[in-house]
Each structure stands twice: as structure tokens, then as C-alpha cells.
Amino acid sequence: MASFSIHCPWIFTFGLLGNFVSFVVFLAPIPTFSRICRKKSTEGFQSLPYVVALFSAMIWLYYASLKSDALLLITINSVGCFIEIIYIALYVAYAPKQARIATLRILILLNFGGFCAVLLLSHFFVKGSNRVKVLGWVCVIFSVSVFAAPLSIMRIVIRTRSVEFMPFTLSFFLTLSAIMWLFYGVLLKDFYIAIPNILGFIFGVLQMVLYVIYKNSKTAVPMEPTLPQNSNDIAKLSSISCEMKPAVCPQSNEEDDHTENSKDPSNQEKPNQCEV
């Protein structure tokens, strides 16, 4: 790393900026998870972006461990793994049963099974410098997946005309992070770092454009009244309304009730429910 500061300080500078901005990106969903913890519900939020982001950080960490000049990649992806694990744990804790099972299934298949497969295959079937190349392309593929994962949220935004589940801060810092790592990769001549961040920049800009378009749109969701399901519920509601608002039972209705009760011997001994 000392060679960066002497021979090409811009590499070290963009690496540090990339670490800082990526750290902010990892912290950007904090308001989302604060809302989840406060309401004890994941509502319409998806776990897929966080699961894929965790796997991408794990792969980049493995890739950086094979290179001699990638300390800045190791630091940020170590922090990223830790933060993403916390997010996923909170999501699983508050998600409904079906979403929880789906998240755990993806975790087992992708983050455990997929990473172990990459680790074993690259160790036993790829030797020497080719291992770095193969892992580089694997990192490219899953980095693109991280940037493309919010496309499902973008589809929801277009369909509902609401940006409630697409925070602007996350889109902004994803774009800024892509710019920093793009320059870092180009200056370092590591195109496995540069290539996915070109797409990351494009996806980030598209998300911000959608936010600007739909930020003032208000989708009114009509709330249908909950009707009583049986006669017992009707009786409970009528008795409660009469206890809290005795004035809703006018005198004329009371007299009508007495008249009808006088005709029906079985009702003569029952007191009027609306009587104060």
C-alpha cells in the first residue's frame, strides 16, 4: 500500500474514498431496519438485496485475499459482511413465516452452498494465476447481481407509482460508490473491479431518475370497513355503541320497541339495551 501513495497516490485516494462511501452504503438501510424494528414487521421490504450483497462481499473478500495489493478491498468487504449479517438477522426476526423460510432457503443455497462450491472448485480445479482470473469473473457476475437486485424494487415503484420502498439515500450512495471503485479499478488496471461498477453507475442513475419521477406521487389505498361476521358480533357492536352513545337511541324508537315488546310476550321482561 505504501507504493500507492508514492507512485500513484490517486489509487490509494480513490480506494480510501471507496471504503468511506461503501461504508455509508452499508449504513444507508439503517432507517429501513429502524422502521422494521419499530413496527415489528418487514412490510413490503425484500431480503434479496441484502442476501446477494452478503454473498458478493464474501466473494470479493476471497478474491482480495489472493492478491497482494488489495488491502482496501479486504477492509471494506469484511465490514460489509458483518453489517449485512446484522440486517439479515433482523429481517428474519421480524419477517412473516413465508418470507422467513424463503430468506433462510436462499441463505443456505447461495451464501453457504454457493460459496463453498466456489471455494472448493477454485482450489482444486484452478491453479496459479488462473485462479485469480476465474474468481475475478465470479466477482463481476455477482457484483452486477448486487447492483441489479434493486431492479425488483424498481418494478414495484413503476407499478405502484410509489417510492416508499426505494430509499433515495441508498440509490445515491450506490451510484457514488460505483464511481469511486470504477476509478480505483481503472487506475489499478484491475478490470474485474472496474467492469461491474460501470453497470452499478447506470443502475444507480436509473433508480434516482425513478425517484425524481415518482417522489410526489400519492397512491391512495382505500381502506375497506371490516364488517361483522355473525350475529354475535352485531349484538356486541350494538351494545357497545349504546353504552358509549345513549343519545343515538331516540325516544321514538324506544316507544316503538315498547310497542313491539308488548305484542311479543317473550320480550316483555327484557330491558331496553339503550336505556340509560
Side-chain angles (χ1 to χ4, degrees):
M1 301 304 297
S3 61
F4 291 167
S5 60
I6 295 174
H7 300 289
C8 190
W10 285 111
I11 296 178
F12 187 71
T13 300
F14 279 107
L16 284 179
L17 290 174
N19 268 253
F20 174 76
V21 178
S22 294
F23 181 70
V24 176
V25 168
F26 288 128
L27 297 182
I30 285 181
T32 296
F33 283 92
S34 297
R35 172 177 173 173
I36 289 175
C37 293
R38 186 173 63 253
K39 295 190 174 183
K40 299 185 184 302
S41 171
T42 55
E43 299 180 309
F45 295 104
Q46 304 291 323
S47 64
L48 183 61
Y50 309 102
V51 174
V52 176
L54 174 61
F55 183 78
S56 178
M58 294 167 64
I59 291 294
W60 277 112
L61 196 56
Y62 180 36
Y63 171 80
S65 67
L66 299 178
K67 295 175 65 69
S68 59
D69 55 354
L71 179 61
L72 293 175
L73 284 178
I74 293 176
T75 55
I76 189 57
N77 285 290
S78 299
V79 173
C81 286
F82 178 74
I83 294 177
E84 296 297 338
I85 288 173
I86 293 177
Y87 290 155
I88 294 171
L90 290 174
Y91 186 92
V92 170
Y94 294 110
K97 183 178 179 181
Q98 187 175 1
R100 184 185 302 118
I101 293 174
T103 301
L104 293 175
R105 184 180 296 130
I106 297 174
L107 273 174
I108 295 172
L109 292 176
L110 181 64
N111 297 81
F112 180 76
F115 182 76
C116 288
V118 171
L119 189 66
L120 294 175
L121 291 174
S122 63
H123 182 75
F124 290 107
F125 295 98
V126 185
K127 302 296 181 181
S129 60
N130 290 329
R131 183 181 301 171
V132 176
K133 294 179 181 179
V134 170
L135 281 175
W137 283 112
V138 173
C139 290
V140 168
I141 293 172
F142 284 98
S143 293
V144 171
S145 300
V146 170
F147 291 120
L151 288 176
S152 61
I153 304 299
M154 293 170 65
R155 186 176 68 251
I156 295 175
V157 170
I158 295 173
R159 188 174 70 247
T160 62
R161 305 177 66 84
S162 171
V163 295
E164 182 180 4
F165 300 116
M166 190 182 71
F168 178 80
T169 53
L170 181 58
S171 301
F172 173 77
F173 282 107
L174 277 173
T175 307
L176 193 59
S177 175
I179 294 173
M180 297 302 164
W181 289 112
L182 174 60
F183 281 105
Y184 176 82
V186 170
L187 293 173
L188 190 61
K189 296 181 180 180
D190 190 332
F191 296 102
Y192 301 117
I193 299 175
I195 291 173
N197 285 289
I198 296 175
L199 296 178
F201 172 75
I202 295 173
F203 288 143
V205 170
L206 288 176
Q207 290 179 49
M208 290 191 292
V209 169
L210 281 179
Y211 188 91
V212 171
I213 293 174
Y214 294 114
K215 67 177 181 178
N216 294 323
S217 298
K218 296 181 179 180
T219 54
V221 180
M223 299 296 293
E224 296 183 359
T226 302
L227 299 178
Q229 299 298 319
N230 51 48
S231 58
N232 291 332
D233 291 334
I234 296 175
K236 291 177 182 178
L237 290 175
S238 62
S239 62
I240 292 173
S241 63
C242 290
E243 289 175 2
M244 297 184 65
K245 296 182 179 180
V248 300
C249 302
Q251 186 66 27
S252 58
N253 291 341
E254 186 176 350
E255 292 175 358
D256 293 340
D257 291 340
H258 282 300
T259 304
E260 292 181 4
N261 289 339
S262 63
K263 296 180 180 180
D264 189 357
S266 61
N267 294 331
Q268 289 180 358
E269 296 181 357
K270 292 183 180 180
N272 191 348
Q273 289 182 350
C274 297
E275 205 169 2
V276 181

